[in-house]
Amino acid sequence: MKKWLTGIVFMIMAMMVLTACGEDKAKETETPEKTDGAADPVVEVESDEYEEATIRLAYNLPQDHHISIGIEKFAEDVKEKSGGKIDMQVFPAGQLLSDKDMNQSLLTGGVEMGVNSSTLWSSTVPAMGIFDVPYVFNDYSAVGEAVGGEFGDKLRGAMEDKGAKVLIFADYGFVQFANNKLELKSPADFKGLKIRSIGDLPSELIKAYGASPVFMGGGEVYMALQRDTVDGATSGTTAMLQRKYDEVTKYLTINNYAYLEFLLTVNKEYWDKLPEKSQALITEAAQETEVWIRSQAEKEDADSAKALEEAGMQVYYVPEDELGEWKDAAAPVRDIFVDNAGDLGKELLDMVDDK
């Protein structure tokens, strides 16, 4: 009995020792309590990967236009620098949307990105018609300075209020007149002509000069000129050359009455949902493209006017000392712009006039 009791006591003591050791071991593995009340720091590891996205980008200009070349390069850069994660699907030369349908599709999310003229955007943001006010801008550098500063910021803000974020102001160049009836040496020569217009204010200018405006998309003009549906058209010499105006018109008048911008815009709601990293990449690529396009505008205007002349068109350059007559006849258009664009339009005009 004594031996039996001794064995039981020994077993109990052994169990107590093992339990004590287990508790000590558990205490050693417990996380020490914070003495300063601070929580464990959260370390965020930034991923090198871009989130996948498919962005459709539509434009209507011919593919060899300098704006088109810049836009194609922009799309390539975004896709390449994102490692293919941001898939830019480009639809050139009106393959997806006409210029007349572009803005509505972009604002409603039918397409994510689009390139269209400031003239056509003026129906949504009347102040965008500033570029169509006759003889507002006199040289290429003045436009770049304007859109890169407060002037451009105000237009960008007005566009965002409508649901479109401007990524690029793409310099198209100066706008001229071509026709197949007579040499236009003064506003009086326009009387009785039917001239293709590109928007509301250009239509008002055509009427102020005594002609009848006919609005149509860029892709329709060649056939309209060929069939005498219109007698002439207003456009830049770059597009005139690429759309082969020399085959269907005889006369070209260079008077630099307006400086047209094309806007690369993105649906604002779609843009706001993109990750910041993707936004930063797209913004950087857009800024680089804008600078390149602006550097090409003056050269392309000069080269295309020369090419049209070499192709057989009679080119008349309005002398500087005769521009006063053209400006005086166009004065009513300025008042129409202010009436349509309100306080913002007046403010933009004042900013340009003060330069």
Side-chain angles (χ1 to χ4, degrees):
M1 177 65 71
K2 183 177 181 180
K3 289 181 180 181
W4 181 75
L5 289 173
T6 300
I8 291 176
V9 171
F10 178 79
M11 289 177 63
I12 292 172
M13 291 178 64
M15 292 175 64
M16 291 174 64
V17 170
L18 290 172
T19 301
C21 289
E23 290 175 352
D24 290 342
K25 188 67 175 176
K27 288 180 180 179
E28 288 176 5
T29 59
E30 286 180 357
T31 303
E33 292 184 1
K34 299 289 183 182
T35 57
D36 57 0
D40 288 333
V42 177
V43 179
E44 294 184 358
V45 179
E46 183 177 351
S47 173
D48 291 333
E49 294 289 327
Y50 287 88
E51 288 190 18
E52 290 189 357
T54 299
I55 300 177
R56 293 165 298 169
L57 193 166
Y59 67 86
N60 286 276
L61 290 166
Q63 284 182 273
D64 53 352
H65 193 279
H66 70 276
I67 290 179
S68 304
I69 294 170
I71 293 300
E72 293 279 357
K73 182 64 165 60
F74 159 78
E76 291 173 8
D77 287 347
V78 171
K79 189 170 184 176
E80 180 181 342
K81 291 178 180 178
S82 68
K85 293 290 187 177
I86 303 177
D87 182 19
M88 300 291 292
Q89 298 181 356
V90 182
F91 299 88
Q95 289 180 4
L96 183 63
L97 293 164
S98 71
D99 48 7
K100 291 184 288 187
D101 297 329
M102 179 76 69
N103 297 350
Q104 184 63 23
S105 181
L106 191 140
L107 291 174
T108 57
V111 67
E112 289 77 37
M113 282 189 190
V115 181
N116 215 3
S117 70
S118 53
T119 303
L120 290 176
W121 273 112
S122 67
S123 61
T124 302
V125 177
M128 197 60 76
I130 184 70
F131 298 103
D132 292 317
V133 177
Y135 310 103
V136 164
F137 293 105
N138 299 316
D139 58 67
Y140 297 86
S141 60
V143 183
E145 182 181 348
V147 299
E150 183 183 3
F151 175 97
D153 289 340
K154 289 183 178 297
L155 287 173
R156 280 183 278 267
M159 288 285 287
E160 290 195 21
D161 288 344
K162 295 295 185 179
K165 178 178 176 60
V166 178
L167 295 174
I168 294 176
F169 277 99
D171 287 20
Y172 179 89
F174 282 104
V175 189
Q176 320 298 349
F177 287 103
N179 85 98
N180 52 25
K181 295 296 183 183
L182 77 165
E183 198 169 35
L184 302 175
K185 290 189 173 183
S186 74
D189 294 329
F190 282 74
K191 187 174 181 180
L193 297 180
K194 293 176 292 182
I195 304 291
R196 176 257 177 165
S197 174
I198 54 177
D200 294 339
L201 283 180
S203 294
E204 295 297 336
L205 175 65
I206 290 168
K207 288 190 286 186
Y209 284 167
S212 300
V214 180
F215 179 74
M216 63 180 63
E220 305 170 73
V221 181
Y222 182 95
M223 189 170 292
L225 288 165
Q226 188 179 49
R227 295 179 176 179
D228 290 329
T229 304
V230 293
D231 302 310
T234 181
S235 187
T237 53
T238 51
M240 288 182 184
L241 179 64
Q242 285 145 0
R243 297 191 189 278
K244 302 184 185 302
Y245 277 30
D246 57 281
E247 296 180 355
V248 287
T249 58
K250 184 176 181 180
Y251 304 100
L252 171 62
T253 296
I254 305 289
N255 66 345
N256 291 351
Y257 80 84
Y259 193 91
L260 194 59
E261 289 286 336
F262 271 66
L263 311 180
L264 171 62
T265 54
V266 56
N267 177 278
K268 182 66 167 54
E269 185 177 352
Y270 177 82
W271 175 262
D272 289 342
K273 292 178 181 178
L274 285 175
E276 289 186 9
K277 186 173 182 178
S278 298
Q279 290 180 348
L281 171 60
I282 293 170
T283 299
E284 181 182 1
Q287 290 171 345
E288 292 172 356
T289 300
E290 183 175 78
V291 171
W292 183 85
I293 291 174
R294 183 157 296 128
S295 73
Q296 301 299 304
E298 184 171 4
K299 177 181 180 298
E300 291 293 330
D301 272 358
D303 288 351
S304 54
K306 182 179 179 181
L308 289 168
E309 188 170 17
E310 291 174 347
M313 293 188 73
Q314 294 183 27
V315 181
Y316 177 72
Y317 291 85
V318 177
E320 186 72 26
D321 60 358
E322 294 181 12
L323 276 175
E325 178 186 4
W326 295 75
K327 293 178 181 179
D328 290 344
V333 182
R334 189 182 182 99
D335 296 332
I336 293 171
F337 168 72
V338 173
D339 289 342
N340 290 340
D343 291 341
L344 179 56
K346 178 68 165 58
E347 186 178 0
L348 293 174
L349 272 180
D350 290 342
M351 291 173 70
V352 175
D353 289 342
D354 288 342
K355 295 295 184 182

